[in-house]
């Protein structure tokens, strides 16, 4: 069986156009549109219907070192000095191209499946009673998301809210995570049982506190309510945080997370953090699906809440007031962005942010735990 299709051979490198450019003012290249401008770090070659401007060569690899809207500069080495050219020299139409390996069975994907999880909120850490657990980072997932070739899609990984202690403080909210036009909202910080210091709203809301924070529709749920000196659990992607019980001396548990199989395995994300108390609790508030447990002075002399797990978007646990001092709330877990599409399609032309690449169930899977981008 021949591996030749349409004049190309499977495995052969072919040129794919990124966009046309003009070279008028050295060392800046101007492209026809922002979408048609290559991304920083992308390797390109130049083709032309006439002659290239003096100083530029065909069959030479250039790397993008800076971009501003539809203009950029190139170097012959990654991070090197900008190449220069003679202004307005050359003739014809000039095009920047990238090389890809020809796949006889499928080119670049037209759609991808994604999972975007924001950073979780921190649990409250105060000298006051009823420290709520942090809300999980917002979680959004869907298949059939359209992607275009040649355009850089941004990937932003939201940080978890930082745990801290203050006499009056609610936990810090987590930061948003982004894939292209999709944004997951950071989890809300846990609140304390003092007026004006309720749990914060977010992807999932922080636990009460004088009041519990609400979640974002389609991304998460509300935090659980405070009860006396006992803090409510932070909300999770799968359910609201559990309310505390002053009668039973129980802190609230974090809300359930969401089980995803996008990586080919069952992994839970975006669980809420457990609540903490002023003291005397018999059972700490438990975090779920990456959420941190609440503090408990009987077993943790500092009473500090426990942090959410990195790259799950779990909320941090609320602090539990220890003798002689105030506790810190647990920090929220950082977020994550995962995409996948059929393995038969071509690999991306460029990825940044060092995503982990894996393969399962006929898919190629890209997992970002630090911010970057992807071009198909």
């Amino acid at each position: 069986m021949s591996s030749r299709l349409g004049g190309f051979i499977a495995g052969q490198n072919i040129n794919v156009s990124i966009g046309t450019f003009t070279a008028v003012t050295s060392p800046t290249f101007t492209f026809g549109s922002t979408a048609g401008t290559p991304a920083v770090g992308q390797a390109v070659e130049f083709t032309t219907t006439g002659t290239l401007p003096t100083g530029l060569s065909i069959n030479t690899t250039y790397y993008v070192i800076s971009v501003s809207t539809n203009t950029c500069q190139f170097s012959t080495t990654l991070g090197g000095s900008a190449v220069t050219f003679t202004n307005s020299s050359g003739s014809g139409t000039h095009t920047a191209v990238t090389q890809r390996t020809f796949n006889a069975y499928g080119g670049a994907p037209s759609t991808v499946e994604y999972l975007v999880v924001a950073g979780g909120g921190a649990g409250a850490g105060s000298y006051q009673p009823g420290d709520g657990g942090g809300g999980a980072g917002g979680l959004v997932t869907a298949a059939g998301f359209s992607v275009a070739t040649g355009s850089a899609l941004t990937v932003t990984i939201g940080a978890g809210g930082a745990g801290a202690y203050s006499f009056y403080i609610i936990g810090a909210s987590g930061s948003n995570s982004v894939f292209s036009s999709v944004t997951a909202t950071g989890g809300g910080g846990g609140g304390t049982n003092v007026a004006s210091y309720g749990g914060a709203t977010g992807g999932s809301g922080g636990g009460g506190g004088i009041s519990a924070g609400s979640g974002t529709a389609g991304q998460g749920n509300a935090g659980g309510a405070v009860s006396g000196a006992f803090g409510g659990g932070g909300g999770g992607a799968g359910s609201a945080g559990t309310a505390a019980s002053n009668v039973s001396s129980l802190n609230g548990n974090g809300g359930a997370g969401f089980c995803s199989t996008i990586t080919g395995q069952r992994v839970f994300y975006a669980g809420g953090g457990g609540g903490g108390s002023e003291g005397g609790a018999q059972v700490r508030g438990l975090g779920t699906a990456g959420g941190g447990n609440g503090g408990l002075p009987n077993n943790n002399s500092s009473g500090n809440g426990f942090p959410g797990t990195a790259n799950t978007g779990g909320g941090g646990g609320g602090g539990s007031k220890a003798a002689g001092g105030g506790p810190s709330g647990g920090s929220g877990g950082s977020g994550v962005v995962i995409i996948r599409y059929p393995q038969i399609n071509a690999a991306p032309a460029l990825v940044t942010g060092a995503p982990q690449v894996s393969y399962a169930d006929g898919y190629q899977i890209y997992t970002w735990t630090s911010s970057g981008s992807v071009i198909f």
Side-chain angles (χ1 to χ4, degrees):
M1 178 179 175
S2 173
S3 59
R4 182 181 293 274
L5 183 68
F8 297 112
I9 299 173
Q12 172 186 352
N13 285 338
I14 60 174
N15 288 332
V16 178
S17 173
I18 299 171
T20 59
F21 66 88
T22 57
V24 177
T25 306
S26 181
T28 299
F29 295 71
T30 302
F31 284 77
S33 67
T34 300
T37 304
V40 171
Q42 187 168 6
V44 306
E45 293 186 6
F46 299 140
T47 64
T48 183
T49 59
T51 58
L52 288 174
T54 303
L56 306 179
S57 302
I58 61 172
N59 299 322
T60 298
T61 300
Y62 296 90
Y63 300 91
V64 182
I65 57 173
S66 66
V67 174
S68 177
T69 59
N70 68 321
T71 65
C72 67
Q73 296 182 359
F74 294 94
S75 175
T76 54
T77 59
L78 279 170
S81 300
V83 296
T84 59
F85 52 84
T86 300
N87 293 345
S88 301
S89 59
S91 63
T93 300
H94 313 312
T95 304
V97 300
T98 185
Q99 287 202 335
R100 294 183 181 169
T101 301
F102 177 65
N103 184 336
Y105 303 101
S110 58
T111 63
V112 299
E113 181 179 355
Y114 65 79
L115 172 74
V116 183
V117 183
S126 75
Y127 201 73
Q128 305 305 314
D131 285 347
L139 183 150
V140 286
T141 185
F145 181 79
S146 296
V147 294
T149 58
S151 297
L153 305 180
T154 299
V155 174
T156 303
I157 305 301
Y165 162 74
S166 178
F167 196 79
Y168 293 117
I169 192 172
I170 63 173
S173 294
S175 299
N176 297 349
S177 288
V178 177
F179 169 61
S180 184
S181 60
V182 178
T183 299
T185 304
T192 65
N193 196 8
V194 177
S196 303
Y197 293 92
T201 60
S204 283
I210 193 69
S211 60
S214 58
T216 300
Q219 298 193 19
N221 294 279
V226 70
S227 180
F230 301 93
S239 70
T242 302
S245 172
N246 193 44
V247 173
S248 302
S249 298
L250 295 176
N251 296 305
N253 295 331
F258 176 85
C259 181
S260 172
T261 58
I262 193 170
T263 62
Q265 299 179 342
R266 288 169 52 85
V267 181
F268 285 85
Y269 301 92
S277 66
E278 184 177 11
Q282 301 304 306
V283 180
R284 71 174 77 251
L286 299 179
T288 65
N293 294 335
L296 191 64
N298 294 339
N299 296 310
N300 175 10
S301 59
S302 68
N304 292 339
F306 289 79
T309 303
N311 304 123
T312 67
S320 189
K321 181 180 173 182
S328 291
S331 296
S334 53
V336 68
V337 171
I338 304 173
I339 65 169
R340 74 174 186 178
Y341 59 91
Q343 199 168 333
I344 195 172
N345 290 110
L350 176 71
V351 291
T352 64
Q356 176 187 349
V357 183
S358 57
Y359 302 90
D361 302 328
Y363 291 94
Q364 48 188 305
I365 304 154
Y366 299 83
T367 301
W368 280 267
T369 56
S370 58
S371 298
S373 63
V374 58
I375 299 175
F376 294 106

